[in-house]
Amino acid sequence: MRRLLLLLFPVSLCLSVWGGDTDVVINEIHYHPDEDDPRLEFVELYNRGPDAVDLSGWYFSDGIDYTFPAGVFLAADGYLAVAANPFRLNQVYGTANLAGPFSGQLDNGGERIELRNASGQVIDTVRYDDRPDWPVSPDGTGASLELLNPFRSNALPDNWRGAGARPPEPTWQRFTFSGPGTAGTLSRFYIYLLSPGEVLVDEVEVVRVGSATNSIGDGSFDEGFGLWQVVGNHAGSYVMSEDTYLGDGAVRLVASGGGGSTTNSLKQEPMYEAVAIGEIYHVTMWVKFLTPGITLEARMSGSTYGVSGCAGRITGAAPATALATPGRVNTQRTDNLPPFISSVSHVPYQPRSSDTVVVRCNISDDSGMIRAATLEMQDNPPGGYHRISDSTYESTWTVVPLRDDGRSPDLIAGDGAYVGVIPPFPHRHLVRYRIRAEDSQGKIEYSPYLDDPQPNYAYFVYDGTHHPTIPTYTMIGHPYDFYEAQFNGIYSNDYKWRVTLYYEGDVYDHVRMRLRGGTAHRFHYPKRSWRLKLPSGHRPGPRQRRKPVCLRAQPHQSGKRALSAGTHPRRHRRHRVDGLRALPPRGRHFVAVRLLTVENRGFAGRVRPVLRRLVRYLQGHRGAQRERAGAHQPSRGPPLQGGS
């Protein structure tokens, strides 16, 4: 008996030590801050046990390189963030529960983080990712990756979410103020944002007390800007018809910087009716803040807000709560996990107009019961593209039931594998869909998550055939955006437009787009150059990333713009010019002057112009061929134009 007790005592002691150690879990990971500032990266530990844990000599063996010095304790129910730069993290988030700095940098594409105690034994391991089924929002949007319930396994993605919450949905609100007229030398009226952001403005009225006449002309914007001008860092603003308070038009005021007076604003000079100096004016307009927390100011010339004259300010709803919580309780912490939706797919992957599409997914929940599961779909016909910023994006979803009853096409009843059927759609329709699930306790979850930069799945109905050797990309977007990108003079480097990129069944939705190049490249050539930035966590695979493709833009009446490779389908040779690949033309075939490469760095697709020297090179190539053949007659095809 004595020998048995001696054997059991060290075993019991060992179990006691291990029990305390394993109460420490990896609780929050901030691997890709929105400013792409690696100094804000951190890994947070949480002690879920009843006793303090001595971290002396503990270290990270994967992900980052850091060893805790002697005398570091993690209190019961305590948090400790191991930071790349503790001073910078404290500046931004104001927390004192910090350790560090660590060496290395967290991988934006996902990796394994492993924590070991002083004896080298593994305490906790998390292998995170930036692709579904993991939350995508922590990849560059400012949100950290938070553990929902620290008393459940942190090895699976269902127990993780992006920190913070979505800001409230924007709504129209009335903005009004009064003051005495001030005109200076000319009656002017200005509207501008005090910081970068976007807001909708509609139904502007400036009425003198005792009069029924609006001193502002074209205040409804139903016929476009009319008497208004947009200048300076507000020059990217435009009139839209999709989301208005009243009538057929509203201004989407887009500011790349703080505005003011005559240089950076939406302005009317002179006003429709001259201002009577000293008379009291009532100003009314309707605004809808698309960027939370920004401030809009409106005033007459010669007025100063809060000092004199007729001027007013309005501030939009505050932005979402802090998107990272180092050293504090997580914003998403909960004891009851929401439903977990995984393995979402649709068949066929590349539908034709005659195909019925079957959507499959797995749905599970802690309670073991799913009260309701539905598939929401949205049709985007040619010319009817719904931008994510439009009110129609949220109002045009059609609900389709999901089934787990064993009836075809479902295979086994009650196994958690759900199916939904989407009817056929015509050729060239973009179809979006998302999954909604609700458990027995009323917890609701979507897939993709609502804070995902691409909050829906999508496929493109296409009856055409793909070229066997030349990849073809199709860009889908709003007709107004394509017109503006192609013809209007916009000098801003802001990603102003959202489009969809389709390539052989792959759909990248809500891709940000802007004009690329300097003034000469943007406005002095017949064709424009665009830069595309794919949503975080939705980077292309190796096939798209490695293939440079020569493209040209083809406008369509449907409002779509196809980017198609342009050479003879059977006869072409590749030539490298200044690091870009070009396909020389044969006979009457056009010269492709745009190159699309989807690059791994930043996961951005960039549409690059092939400059005039490329055209000259191809002209010389064709001339050399004719000379070698002894033929000096003019080419049968149309002459090549620089920049064509």
Side-chain angles (χ1 to χ4, degrees), residues 348-379:
Y349 187 68
Q350 172 51 72
R352 303 176 71 86
S353 60
S354 57
D355 291 332
T356 295
V357 175
V358 177
V359 176
R360 298 183 182 274
C361 65
N362 295 330
I363 305 178
S364 58
D365 187 70
D366 278 352
S367 67
M369 177 180 175
I370 300 297
R371 177 185 297 172
T374 55
L375 182 152
E376 300 177 357
M377 66 175 184
Q378 180 193 84
D379 179 29

PDB file of all heavy atoms in Angstrom, residues 348-379:
ATOM      1  N   PRO A 348     -24.609  23.099 -60.582  1.00  0.00           N
ATOM      2  CA  PRO A 348     -23.257  23.121 -61.142  1.00  0.00           C
ATOM      3  C   PRO A 348     -22.509  24.400 -60.769  1.00  0.00           C
ATOM      4  O   PRO A 348     -23.131  25.438 -60.532  1.00  0.00           O
ATOM      5  CB  PRO A 348     -23.488  23.027 -62.649  1.00  0.00           C
ATOM      6  CG  PRO A 348     -24.857  23.604 -62.852  1.00  0.00           C
ATOM      7  CD  PRO A 348     -25.647  23.240 -61.642  1.00  0.00           C
ATOM      8  N   TYR A 349     -21.184  24.292 -60.750  1.00  0.00           N
ATOM      9  CA  TYR A 349     -20.371  25.439 -60.360  1.00  0.00           C
ATOM     10  C   TYR A 349     -20.488  26.562 -61.378  1.00  0.00           C
ATOM     11  O   TYR A 349     -20.508  27.735 -61.012  1.00  0.00           O
ATOM     12  CB  TYR A 349     -18.921  24.986 -60.218  1.00  0.00           C
ATOM     13  CG  TYR A 349     -18.005  26.054 -59.654  1.00  0.00           C
ATOM     14  CD1 TYR A 349     -18.131  26.470 -58.329  1.00  0.00           C
ATOM     15  CD2 TYR A 349     -17.028  26.639 -60.439  1.00  0.00           C
ATOM     16  CE1 TYR A 349     -17.301  27.446 -57.800  1.00  0.00           C
ATOM     17  CE2 TYR A 349     -16.188  27.608 -59.925  1.00  0.00           C
ATOM     18  CZ  TYR A 349     -16.333  28.009 -58.609  1.00  0.00           C
ATOM     19  OH  TYR A 349     -15.517  28.982 -58.103  1.00  0.00           O
ATOM     20  N   GLN A 350     -20.549  26.204 -62.665  1.00  0.00           N
ATOM     21  CA  GLN A 350     -20.749  27.179 -63.739  1.00  0.00           C
ATOM     22  C   GLN A 350     -22.074  26.882 -64.431  1.00  0.00           C
ATOM     23  O   GLN A 350     -22.143  26.100 -65.369  1.00  0.00           O
ATOM     24  CB  GLN A 350     -19.597  27.128 -64.748  1.00  0.00           C
ATOM     25  CG  GLN A 350     -19.819  27.965 -66.010  1.00  0.00           C
ATOM     26  CD  GLN A 350     -20.216  29.388 -65.696  1.00  0.00           C
ATOM     27  OE1 GLN A 350     -19.405  30.164 -65.240  1.00  0.00           O
ATOM     28  NE2 GLN A 350     -21.469  29.743 -65.929  1.00  0.00           N
ATOM     29  N   PRO A 351     -23.193  27.473 -63.938  1.00  0.00           N
ATOM     30  CA  PRO A 351     -24.508  27.140 -64.500  1.00  0.00           C
ATOM     31  C   PRO A 351     -24.729  27.761 -65.882  1.00  0.00           C
ATOM     32  O   PRO A 351     -24.176  28.818 -66.213  1.00  0.00           O
ATOM     33  CB  PRO A 351     -25.486  27.729 -63.477  1.00  0.00           C
ATOM     34  CG  PRO A 351     -24.657  28.116 -62.292  1.00  0.00           C
ATOM     35  CD  PRO A 351     -23.287  28.395 -62.816  1.00  0.00           C
ATOM     36  N   ARG A 352     -25.565  27.102 -66.651  1.00  0.00           N
ATOM     37  CA  ARG A 352     -26.089  27.647 -67.900  1.00  0.00           C
ATOM     38  C   ARG A 352     -27.549  28.023 -67.672  1.00  0.00           C
ATOM     39  O   ARG A 352     -28.135  27.709 -66.633  1.00  0.00           O
ATOM     40  CB  ARG A 352     -25.926  26.632 -69.030  1.00  0.00           C
ATOM     41  CG  ARG A 352     -24.478  26.188 -69.235  1.00  0.00           C
ATOM     42  CD  ARG A 352     -24.355  25.120 -70.291  1.00  0.00           C
ATOM     43  NE  ARG A 352     -24.592  25.651 -71.633  1.00  0.00           N
ATOM     44  CZ  ARG A 352     -23.645  26.211 -72.379  1.00  0.00           C
ATOM     45  NH1 ARG A 352     -22.404  26.313 -71.933  1.00  0.00           N
ATOM     46  NH2 ARG A 352     -23.914  26.669 -73.591  1.00  0.00           N
ATOM     47  N   SER A 353     -28.151  28.675 -68.650  1.00  0.00           N
ATOM     48  CA  SER A 353     -29.512  29.184 -68.465  1.00  0.00           C
ATOM     49  C   SER A 353     -30.542  28.073 -68.299  1.00  0.00           C
ATOM     50  O   SER A 353     -31.643  28.325 -67.821  1.00  0.00           O
ATOM     51  CB  SER A 353     -29.893  30.082 -69.647  1.00  0.00           C
ATOM     52  OG  SER A 353     -29.835  29.354 -70.862  1.00  0.00           O
ATOM     53  N   SER A 354     -30.200  26.862 -68.667  1.00  0.00           N
ATOM     54  CA  SER A 354     -31.133  25.739 -68.534  1.00  0.00           C
ATOM     55  C   SER A 354     -30.957  24.979 -67.227  1.00  0.00           C
ATOM     56  O   SER A 354     -31.711  24.039 -66.948  1.00  0.00           O
ATOM     57  CB  SER A 354     -30.934  24.768 -69.704  1.00  0.00           C
ATOM     58  OG  SER A 354     -29.586  24.304 -69.754  1.00  0.00           O
ATOM     59  N   ASP A 355     -29.990  25.379 -66.410  1.00  0.00           N
ATOM     60  CA  ASP A 355     -29.649  24.604 -65.214  1.00  0.00           C
ATOM     61  C   ASP A 355     -30.399  25.080 -63.973  1.00  0.00           C
ATOM     62  O   ASP A 355     -30.480  26.280 -63.702  1.00  0.00           O
ATOM     63  CB  ASP A 355     -28.145  24.703 -64.933  1.00  0.00           C
ATOM     64  CG  ASP A 355     -27.307  23.974 -65.966  1.00  0.00           C
ATOM     65  OD1 ASP A 355     -27.819  23.000 -66.549  1.00  0.00           O
ATOM     66  OD2 ASP A 355     -26.149  24.384 -66.196  1.00  0.00           O
ATOM     67  N   THR A 356     -30.905  24.127 -63.220  1.00  0.00           N
ATOM     68  CA  THR A 356     -31.348  24.371 -61.855  1.00  0.00           C
ATOM     69  C   THR A 356     -30.143  24.217 -60.937  1.00  0.00           C
ATOM     70  O   THR A 356     -29.381  23.261 -61.059  1.00  0.00           O
ATOM     71  CB  THR A 356     -32.444  23.376 -61.455  1.00  0.00           C
ATOM     72  OG1 THR A 356     -33.598  23.599 -62.276  1.00  0.00           O
ATOM     73  CG2 THR A 356     -32.830  23.549 -59.991  1.00  0.00           C
ATOM     74  N   VAL A 357     -29.953  25.159 -60.038  1.00  0.00           N
ATOM     75  CA  VAL A 357     -28.771  25.167 -59.179  1.00  0.00           C
ATOM     76  C   VAL A 357     -29.149  24.643 -57.799  1.00  0.00           C
ATOM     77  O   VAL A 357     -30.114  25.112 -57.184  1.00  0.00           O
ATOM     78  CB  VAL A 357     -28.173  26.584 -59.081  1.00  0.00           C
ATOM     79  CG1 VAL A 357     -27.009  26.615 -58.091  1.00  0.00           C
ATOM     80  CG2 VAL A 357     -27.702  27.061 -60.454  1.00  0.00           C
ATOM     81  N   VAL A 358     -28.384  23.682 -57.304  1.00  0.00           N
ATOM     82  CA  VAL A 358     -28.597  23.107 -55.979  1.00  0.00           C
ATOM     83  C   VAL A 358     -27.526  23.655 -55.041  1.00  0.00           C
ATOM     84  O   VAL A 358     -26.328  23.503 -55.300  1.00  0.00           O
ATOM     85  CB  VAL A 358     -28.541  21.573 -56.010  1.00  0.00           C
ATOM     86  CG1 VAL A 358     -28.685  20.996 -54.603  1.00  0.00           C
ATOM     87  CG2 VAL A 358     -29.631  21.024 -56.926  1.00  0.00           C
ATOM     88  N   VAL A 359     -27.958  24.309 -53.967  1.00  0.00           N
ATOM     89  CA  VAL A 359     -27.055  24.855 -52.961  1.00  0.00           C
ATOM     90  C   VAL A 359     -27.042  23.912 -51.764  1.00  0.00           C
ATOM     91  O   VAL A 359     -28.096  23.520 -51.258  1.00  0.00           O
ATOM     92  CB  VAL A 359     -27.497  26.264 -52.521  1.00  0.00           C
ATOM     93  CG1 VAL A 359     -26.605  26.789 -51.401  1.00  0.00           C
ATOM     94  CG2 VAL A 359     -27.484  27.217 -53.706  1.00  0.00           C
ATOM     95  N   ARG A 360     -25.862  23.546 -51.315  1.00  0.00           N
ATOM     96  CA  ARG A 360     -25.705  22.652 -50.173  1.00  0.00           C
ATOM     97  C   ARG A 360     -24.891  23.330 -49.080  1.00  0.00           C
ATOM     98  O   ARG A 360     -23.998  24.126 -49.363  1.00  0.00           O
ATOM     99  CB  ARG A 360     -25.009  21.350 -50.592  1.00  0.00           C
ATOM    100  CG  ARG A 360     -25.781  20.546 -51.630  1.00  0.00           C
ATOM    101  CD  ARG A 360     -25.078  19.228 -51.946  1.00  0.00           C
ATOM    102  NE  ARG A 360     -25.779  18.480 -52.976  1.00  0.00           N
ATOM    103  CZ  ARG A 360     -26.788  17.651 -52.754  1.00  0.00           C
ATOM    104  NH1 ARG A 360     -27.202  17.455 -51.494  1.00  0.00           N
ATOM    105  NH2 ARG A 360     -27.382  17.014 -53.742  1.00  0.00           N
ATOM    106  N   CYS A 361     -25.197  23.015 -47.834  1.00  0.00           N
ATOM    107  CA  CYS A 361     -24.426  23.523 -46.701  1.00  0.00           C
ATOM    108  C   CYS A 361     -24.669  22.634 -45.491  1.00  0.00           C
ATOM    109  O   CYS A 361     -25.645  21.877 -45.442  1.00  0.00           O
ATOM    110  CB  CYS A 361     -24.803  24.968 -46.381  1.00  0.00           C
ATOM    111  SG  CYS A 361     -26.499  25.185 -45.810  1.00  0.00           S
ATOM    112  N   ASN A 362     -23.786  22.726 -44.517  1.00  0.00           N
ATOM    113  CA  ASN A 362     -23.943  22.041 -43.241  1.00  0.00           C
ATOM    114  C   ASN A 362     -24.258  23.080 -42.167  1.00  0.00           C
ATOM    115  O   ASN A 362     -23.613  24.133 -42.109  1.00  0.00           O
ATOM    116  CB  ASN A 362     -22.670  21.287 -42.865  1.00  0.00           C
ATOM    117  CG  ASN A 362     -22.355  20.159 -43.834  1.00  0.00           C
ATOM    118  OD1 ASN A 362     -23.255  19.566 -44.421  1.00  0.00           O
ATOM    119  ND2 ASN A 362     -21.075  19.864 -44.002  1.00  0.00           N
ATOM    120  N   ILE A 363     -25.239  22.792 -41.328  1.00  0.00           N
ATOM    121  CA  ILE A 363     -25.632  23.710 -40.255  1.00  0.00           C
ATOM    122  C   ILE A 363     -25.682  22.926 -38.950  1.00  0.00           C
ATOM    123  O   ILE A 363     -26.325  21.876 -38.870  1.00  0.00           O
ATOM    124  CB  ILE A 363     -27.001  24.367 -40.523  1.00  0.00           C
ATOM    125  CG1 ILE A 363     -27.010  25.061 -41.893  1.00  0.00           C
ATOM    126  CG2 ILE A 363     -27.339  25.365 -39.427  1.00  0.00           C
ATOM    127  CD1 ILE A 363     -28.341  25.693 -42.248  1.00  0.00           C
ATOM    128  N   SER A 364     -24.997  23.441 -37.923  1.00  0.00           N
ATOM    129  CA  SER A 364     -24.994  22.796 -36.616  1.00  0.00           C
ATOM    130  C   SER A 364     -25.205  23.854 -35.540  1.00  0.00           C
ATOM    131  O   SER A 364     -25.033  25.051 -35.786  1.00  0.00           O
ATOM    132  CB  SER A 364     -23.663  22.067 -36.381  1.00  0.00           C
ATOM    133  OG  SER A 364     -22.571  22.969 -36.467  1.00  0.00           O
ATOM    134  N   ASP A 365     -25.565  23.396 -34.327  1.00  0.00           N
ATOM    135  CA  ASP A 365     -25.806  24.328 -33.223  1.00  0.00           C
ATOM    136  C   ASP A 365     -25.631  23.602 -31.904  1.00  0.00           C
ATOM    137  O   ASP A 365     -25.855  22.385 -31.808  1.00  0.00           O
ATOM    138  CB  ASP A 365     -27.218  24.913 -33.318  1.00  0.00           C
ATOM    139  CG  ASP A 365     -27.450  26.015 -32.298  1.00  0.00           C
ATOM    140  OD1 ASP A 365     -26.858  27.096 -32.453  1.00  0.00           O
ATOM    141  OD2 ASP A 365     -28.207  25.783 -31.337  1.00  0.00           O
ATOM    142  N   ASP A 366     -25.224  24.355 -30.866  1.00  0.00           N
ATOM    143  CA  ASP A 366     -25.045  23.770 -29.536  1.00  0.00           C
ATOM    144  C   ASP A 366     -26.317  23.132 -29.012  1.00  0.00           C
ATOM    145  O   ASP A 366     -26.290  22.096 -28.349  1.00  0.00           O
ATOM    146  CB  ASP A 366     -24.590  24.848 -28.548  1.00  0.00           C
ATOM    147  CG  ASP A 366     -23.092  25.085 -28.628  1.00  0.00           C
ATOM    148  OD1 ASP A 366     -22.423  24.310 -29.325  1.00  0.00           O
ATOM    149  OD2 ASP A 366     -22.608  26.051 -28.029  1.00  0.00           O
ATOM    150  N   SER A 367     -27.442  23.767 -29.298  1.00  0.00           N
ATOM    151  CA  SER A 367     -28.716  23.267 -28.786  1.00  0.00           C
ATOM    152  C   SER A 367     -29.153  21.988 -29.477  1.00  0.00           C
ATOM    153  O   SER A 367     -30.045  21.288 -28.998  1.00  0.00           O
ATOM    154  CB  SER A 367     -29.802  24.331 -28.947  1.00  0.00           C
ATOM    155  OG  SER A 367     -30.089  24.550 -30.324  1.00  0.00           O
ATOM    156  N   GLY A 368     -28.540  21.707 -30.615  1.00  0.00           N
ATOM    157  CA  GLY A 368     -28.906  20.516 -31.371  1.00  0.00           C
ATOM    158  C   GLY A 368     -30.153  20.686 -32.209  1.00  0.00           C
ATOM    159  O   GLY A 368     -30.607  19.737 -32.854  1.00  0.00           O
ATOM    160  N   MET A 369     -30.723  21.897 -32.231  1.00  0.00           N
ATOM    161  CA  MET A 369     -31.959  22.108 -32.973  1.00  0.00           C
ATOM    162  C   MET A 369     -31.875  23.404 -33.771  1.00  0.00           C
ATOM    163  O   MET A 369     -31.556  24.460 -33.222  1.00  0.00           O
ATOM    164  CB  MET A 369     -33.159  22.152 -32.025  1.00  0.00           C
ATOM    165  CG  MET A 369     -34.478  22.440 -32.717  1.00  0.00           C
ATOM    166  SD  MET A 369     -35.866  22.489 -31.561  1.00  0.00           S
ATOM    167  CE  MET A 369     -37.196  22.979 -32.665  1.00  0.00           C
ATOM    168  N   ILE A 370     -32.155  23.310 -35.046  1.00  0.00           N
ATOM    169  CA  ILE A 370     -32.246  24.477 -35.921  1.00  0.00           C
ATOM    170  C   ILE A 370     -33.718  24.771 -36.156  1.00  0.00           C
ATOM    171  O   ILE A 370     -34.451  23.953 -36.705  1.00  0.00           O
ATOM    172  CB  ILE A 370     -31.519  24.232 -37.255  1.00  0.00           C
ATOM    173  CG1 ILE A 370     -30.039  23.945 -37.014  1.00  0.00           C
ATOM    174  CG2 ILE A 370     -31.685  25.428 -38.174  1.00  0.00           C
ATOM    175  CD1 ILE A 370     -29.281  25.085 -36.383  1.00  0.00           C
ATOM    176  N   ARG A 371     -34.157  25.946 -35.691  1.00  0.00           N
ATOM    177  CA  ARG A 371     -35.569  26.300 -35.825  1.00  0.00           C
ATOM    178  C   ARG A 371     -35.923  26.611 -37.271  1.00  0.00           C
ATOM    179  O   ARG A 371     -36.991  26.224 -37.758  1.00  0.00           O
ATOM    180  CB  ARG A 371     -35.878  27.500 -34.936  1.00  0.00           C
ATOM    181  CG  ARG A 371     -37.320  27.993 -35.070  1.00  0.00           C
ATOM    182  CD  ARG A 371     -37.523  29.272 -34.257  1.00  0.00           C
ATOM    183  NE  ARG A 371     -37.313  29.037 -32.830  1.00  0.00           N
ATOM    184  CZ  ARG A 371     -37.270  29.998 -31.924  1.00  0.00           C
ATOM    185  NH1 ARG A 371     -37.391  31.268 -32.299  1.00  0.00           N
ATOM    186  NH2 ARG A 371     -37.096  29.716 -30.646  1.00  0.00           N
ATOM    187  N   ALA A 372     -35.059  27.332 -37.969  1.00  0.00           N
ATOM    188  CA  ALA A 372     -35.352  27.719 -39.355  1.00  0.00           C
ATOM    189  C   ALA A 372     -34.046  27.881 -40.114  1.00  0.00           C
ATOM    190  O   ALA A 372     -33.057  28.384 -39.570  1.00  0.00           O
ATOM    191  CB  ALA A 372     -36.149  29.021 -39.396  1.00  0.00           C
ATOM    192  N   ALA A 373     -34.049  27.442 -41.364  1.00  0.00           N
ATOM    193  CA  ALA A 373     -32.896  27.604 -42.254  1.00  0.00           C
ATOM    194  C   ALA A 373     -33.421  27.987 -43.631  1.00  0.00           C
ATOM    195  O   ALA A 373     -34.275  27.293 -44.192  1.00  0.00           O
ATOM    196  CB  ALA A 373     -32.077  26.322 -42.324  1.00  0.00           C
ATOM    197  N   THR A 374     -32.930  29.090 -44.145  1.00  0.00           N
ATOM    198  CA  THR A 374     -33.407  29.575 -45.443  1.00  0.00           C
ATOM    199  C   THR A 374     -32.236  30.004 -46.308  1.00  0.00           C
ATOM    200  O   THR A 374     -31.148  30.341 -45.818  1.00  0.00           O
ATOM    201  CB  THR A 374     -34.365  30.772 -45.281  1.00  0.00           C
ATOM    202  OG1 THR A 374     -33.715  31.805 -44.523  1.00  0.00           O
ATOM    203  CG2 THR A 374     -35.644  30.358 -44.584  1.00  0.00           C
ATOM    204  N   LEU A 375     -32.475  30.005 -47.582  1.00  0.00           N
ATOM    205  CA  LEU A 375     -31.536  30.508 -48.574  1.00  0.00           C
ATOM    206  C   LEU A 375     -32.137  31.776 -49.162  1.00  0.00           C
ATOM    207  O   LEU A 375     -33.289  31.773 -49.605  1.00  0.00           O
ATOM    208  CB  LEU A 375     -31.299  29.463 -49.660  1.00  0.00           C
ATOM    209  CG  LEU A 375     -30.308  29.770 -50.780  1.00  0.00           C
ATOM    210  CD1 LEU A 375     -29.714  28.468 -51.307  1.00  0.00           C
ATOM    211  CD2 LEU A 375     -30.963  30.505 -51.954  1.00  0.00           C
ATOM    212  N   GLU A 376     -31.390  32.871 -49.138  1.00  0.00           N
ATOM    213  CA  GLU A 376     -31.847  34.129 -49.730  1.00  0.00           C
ATOM    214  C   GLU A 376     -31.070  34.372 -51.018  1.00  0.00           C
ATOM    215  O   GLU A 376     -29.837  34.295 -51.019  1.00  0.00           O
ATOM    216  CB  GLU A 376     -31.644  35.281 -48.744  1.00  0.00           C
ATOM    217  CG  GLU A 376     -32.397  35.101 -47.438  1.00  0.00           C
ATOM    218  CD  GLU A 376     -32.117  36.212 -46.443  1.00  0.00           C
ATOM    219  OE1 GLU A 376     -31.289  37.094 -46.760  1.00  0.00           O
ATOM    220  OE2 GLU A 376     -32.721  36.209 -45.353  1.00  0.00           O
ATOM    221  N   MET A 377     -31.791  34.650 -52.113  1.00  0.00           N
ATOM    222  CA  MET A 377     -31.121  34.845 -53.400  1.00  0.00           C
ATOM    223  C   MET A 377     -31.520  36.195 -53.989  1.00  0.00           C
ATOM    224  O   MET A 377     -32.582  36.748 -53.688  1.00  0.00           O
ATOM    225  CB  MET A 377     -31.465  33.722 -54.366  1.00  0.00           C
ATOM    226  CG  MET A 377     -32.909  33.674 -54.795  1.00  0.00           C
ATOM    227  SD  MET A 377     -33.204  32.415 -56.055  1.00  0.00           S
ATOM    228  CE  MET A 377     -34.943  32.715 -56.416  1.00  0.00           C
ATOM    229  N   GLN A 378     -30.650  36.702 -54.844  1.00  0.00           N
ATOM    230  CA  GLN A 378     -30.865  38.005 -55.481  1.00  0.00           C
ATOM    231  C   GLN A 378     -30.456  37.926 -56.948  1.00  0.00           C
ATOM    232  O   GLN A 378     -29.349  37.485 -57.264  1.00  0.00           O
ATOM    233  CB  GLN A 378     -30.039  39.082 -54.777  1.00  0.00           C
ATOM    234  CG  GLN A 378     -30.189  40.482 -55.358  1.00  0.00           C
ATOM    235  CD  GLN A 378     -29.118  41.416 -54.817  1.00  0.00           C
ATOM    236  OE1 GLN A 378     -28.003  41.457 -55.318  1.00  0.00           O
ATOM    237  NE2 GLN A 378     -29.464  42.176 -53.777  1.00  0.00           N
ATOM    238  N   ASP A 379     -31.340  38.351 -57.825  1.00  0.00           N
ATOM    239  CA  ASP A 379     -31.070  38.351 -59.263  1.00  0.00           C
ATOM    240  C   ASP A 379     -30.545  39.715 -59.695  1.00  0.00           C
ATOM    241  O   ASP A 379     -31.099  40.755 -59.324  1.00  0.00           O
ATOM    242  CB  ASP A 379     -32.350  38.011 -60.031  1.00  0.00           C
ATOM    243  CG  ASP A 379     -32.138  38.028 -61.543  1.00  0.00           C
ATOM    244  OD1 ASP A 379     -31.009  37.752 -61.980  1.00  0.00           O
ATOM    245  OD2 ASP A 379     -33.111  38.315 -62.272  1.00  0.00           O
TER     246      ASP A 379
END
